[in-house]
Amino acid sequence: MDKDRKMMMFGLLLAAFVSPVIAGEWRASVVRSLDALVSSCVVIPCSFTHPEGNLPTSRLRGIWHISNQRDQRIYHEDNTLVLDNFKGRTKLLGHLGQSNCTLEIIEIKDHDSGPFCFRIELTPKETGTLEKFSFVEQCVDLKMLPDPPKPKLTHLKSAVQGLPFVLTCTVLHTCPSRAPKLTWSRGTADGITEVNREIHAGNWEMQSILTFIPKDEDDHSDVTCTSTFNGGRTSSKTLTLYVKRTENYNHIIIPTVAAIGTALIFAVFIILIVKKYKSRIVELQSQEGSMWNRLSRLSRRVRTDGGK
C-alpha cells in the first residue's frame, strides 16, 4: 500500500514538474512546401504561439534563416546581418505582436530553394535572459518554377448572338502581396470582375471574369487572357469563339402574314359586294313579281271580255 502511495506521489510530482515545460513551449505553423516562380515573388504563411498569448511587438524579434544554420539569415530587422544575396529581397508582412511571422521574398533566384526556418527572440521585461526559439522542425521548401503557370479559360454556356456571355480566366500563384494581373484581348473594365482568393495554405488563384454580348461577326474570333506576374513574366491562353446565331424566321413570317392579310382584304371585299347587291337582287325579284301579277290580271280581264 505504501508502495502504491509513493508511486502516486511520484506521478503527481512528475506531472507538476513537466506541465509548465509543456505549457511553456513555443509553437509555429509554417507551410511545408510552396511553388516559387523564378524572377517573381513568394509569400510564406507563418504563425506562432507563446504560452503568454500575444506579446507586444517591441519585445519580439523575428528572424528567418536557412535550415538549422542560424547565422545564415535571409531576414533580420538589422539588414547588415542578412546574407548578401538576400538583402533587399525579404520582408515580414505580418505583425509579430499578432503572432504573424509571414515572410515575402521577391526577385526569386533559382537557388532560393531553402529550407527556410523561422526563429523568434523575446526580450525580457526588465531583468532576465533573452528567450530564443528556432522552429527547425517547421521549415519551408521552395520548388522553383522556371516558367509561369498558364491561365485556364472556362465558360458554362455556349456563346449565343445577342445574349450575355461569361468567360472566366484563372491562374494559380503563391504571391498574394503582388498578385498577377490578368488582361483580356477584348472587353472593357465595366464588364470585368476580379477575385483573388486562397484555395489552400499559401496557394492562391487569381480570377478575371469577362462579360460581353457576342455579335454575328464574333463567330470564329479569338479571345485571349494574359497573365503578367510580378517581375514581368507572362503567360496566356486563347479561346476561339463559336457564336450560335439566333433563328430568323422573317423569310417565312413576312410572306405568310402578307398572304393572310390579302385573303382577309379579299374576303371583306366579297362580303361588301354581296351586301351591296343582295338588296338590288331582292328589289329586282320584287319588281318581277309585281309585273307578273299585272300580266296575270290583264290576261284574265281579256278572257272575260271575250266571253261576253
Side-chain angles (χ1 to χ4, degrees), residues 34-35 41 149 171-180 196-197 199 202-206 229:
L34 279 177
D35 291 338
C41 57
V171 69
L172 301 178
H173 67 97
T174 55
C175 191
S177 59
R178 303 167 188 253
N196 189 31
R197 65 187 185 94
I199 51 178
N203 291 269
W204 295 69
E205 68 174 16
M206 186 70 184
F229 293 83

Side-chain angles (χ1 to χ4, degrees), residues 74-107:
I74 67 168
Y75 170 79
H76 194 286
E77 61 183 23
D78 183 353
N79 197 48
T80 62
L81 300 178
V82 176
L83 293 172
D84 288 341
N85 60 335
F86 280 96
K87 286 182 178 179
R89 297 201 293 123
T90 55
K91 175 184 178 183
L92 273 188
L93 297 182
H95 295 284
L96 295 177
Q98 298 175 354
S99 302
N100 189 335
C101 45
T102 298
L103 179 73
E104 176 193 65
I105 307 176
I106 63 173
E107 300 175 15

